[in-house]
Amino acid sequence: MFLTNSDMVELIELRHALHRAPEISGEERETAKAIVGFLKPSAPDRIVTDLGGHGVAAIYEGAEAGPTVLIRSELDALPIEDLSGVPHTSQIAGKGHLCGHDGHMTTVAALSRGLGRQRPQRGRAILLFQPAEETGAGAAAVIADPKFKEIAPDFSFSLHNKPGMPLGAVRLSEGPANCASRGLKIVLTGHTSHAATPEHAVSPMKALARLMPELTTLGQGGALEGNYRLVTVTHASMGEPAFGITPGRAELWATLRTLSDSLMGSLCTEAEALVREAASAGGLSVTMDYHDVFHHCENHPEAVAHLRQACDEEGVARSETPPQRGSEDFGLFGRSSKSAMFLLGSGEKTPPLHNPDYDFPDALIAPGARVFMRTIRNLLG
């Protein structure tokens, strides 16, 4: 174990401090400053800031040529009120680290202690703290930043805590790890009339009522394999909150989800065609656009092999896992490097992620850091 008791006390203090001061996607300025402050005592060869927004990357150079290994975590919290009641409850109204990103950051920050005391023998180890994961925009912004060219990893690794699994256990498999998803926002526009003369309006009511069930028939879920597709209606609104007006406008939001990126195109095409048909039948104009676009995560066999070896050498229990329905923008790193993400169990009776009472278990910091550090040492010495 490369972390001392003193290290663990300071890491838990860091995690609690991050939990008290959550910042949502795109606003992670103070969180990034706190991370930089924690990293500096380990004297990285370089700290890159403002990467793809508020992103931070700490670089630890080896003496010899070798691969670049990136370990990634997320900076952002959620726009959800923290109702956990723990002593370190969020002090920011309406915002909370209810996905465990405070714990992910702390786990990756823990690696700075080991790398500061003993640099890798070869290559480079990079600790990345990425902004805006929750909106799907962060990884793309980091990769598009010219400063990322200086990092250019050969391997990229990440973790996500997972309630419902035994505490500290790892689940990991090759192939698809997280689904692709995107939000489809539909705006149907006609025109209003007095409620006493609805025949004078062009109302979106029938089109909206038709589309809510019909969109969901395009993807009904099922087993996470093959041609898995799921469409979930997440929001609908129509007209004004008044009894005297026939509505002239409606919005419908739906999340489209597929097992892989290759399946997303056809699902979008079918959904758009359905929307246009319903709008045309109702004499409505329509606009559609996409938000929160996530590409699927694909675990590379070689990257998975390195994580499996690290788990076995560190005595961390591991098993296979099916793909996750949820989405993760980490998948973009796999387009230019061999990447893999593993799930780390946060307890079988822990509240689910994004629940208002979720709190990342401090007991996960050490095993997560051990798996990552062993992976770094096996690759870089």
Side-chain angles (χ1 to χ4, degrees), residues 125-302:
I126 297 173
L127 309 182
L128 174 65
F129 302 83
Q130 177 209 300
E133 185 278 328
E134 292 291 352
T135 64
V142 166
I143 293 168
D145 193 314
K147 295 189 288 291
F148 188 74
K149 294 179 181 178
E150 305 169 33
I151 297 171
D154 299 292
F155 291 92
S156 300
F157 299 100
S158 189
L159 67 77
H160 207 294
N161 75 97
K162 181 68 173 176
M165 285 173 48
L167 187 71
V170 164
R171 287 185 182 166
L172 172 69
S173 296
E174 300 174 7
N178 293 84
C179 287
S181 72
R182 60 184 62 199
L184 172 60
K185 180 180 177 180
I186 303 158
V187 178
L188 301 163
T189 305
H191 66 77
T192 60
S193 76
H194 195 288
T197 56
E199 67 274 15
H200 294 161
V202 178
S203 171
M205 185 267 291
K206 290 183 179 179
L208 182 64
R210 169 186 170 182
L211 284 171
M212 284 193 285
E214 288 190 2
L215 281 171
T216 61
T217 64
L218 299 179
Q220 298 186 0
L224 277 161
E225 58 188 21
N227 293 321
Y228 174 85
R229 310 196 316 181
L230 178 67
V231 178
T232 306
V233 170
T234 62
H235 172 76
S237 64
M238 184 180 70
E240 302 299 326
F243 292 108
I245 305 171
T246 306
R249 183 182 183 278
E251 277 194 22
L252 179 61
W253 296 14
T255 300
L256 314 184
R257 196 175 304 276
T258 58
L259 183 61
S260 66
D261 294 335
S262 62
L263 299 170
M264 182 58 75
S266 60
L267 180 56
C268 291
T269 298
E270 292 174 38
E272 290 172 18
L274 191 62
V275 171
R276 289 192 184 96
E277 181 185 345
S280 177
L284 303 160
S285 63
V286 62
T287 62
M288 290 177 276
D289 55 359
Y290 291 99
H291 303 261
D292 293 8
V293 176
F294 290 85
H295 296 275
H296 91 274
C297 292
E298 183 83 13
N299 278 352
H300 191 280
E302 187 176 344

Side-chain angles (χ1 to χ4, degrees), residues 345-370:
S346 46
E348 293 173 287
K349 297 183 179 180
T350 304
L353 299 177
H354 293 212
N355 269 37
D357 56 346
Y358 180 76
D359 184 41
F360 181 93
D362 292 324
L364 293 188
I365 297 169
R370 283 166 45 213

Side-chain angles (χ1 to χ4, degrees), residues 46-57:
R46 188 176 174 197
I47 297 180
V48 180
T49 58
D50 300 323
L51 184 61
H54 298 303
V56 174

Side-chain angles (χ1 to χ4, degrees), residues 65 78 94 118 142 205 311 343:
L78 289 159
Q118 183 182 354
V142 166
M205 185 267 291
C311 288
L343 302 177

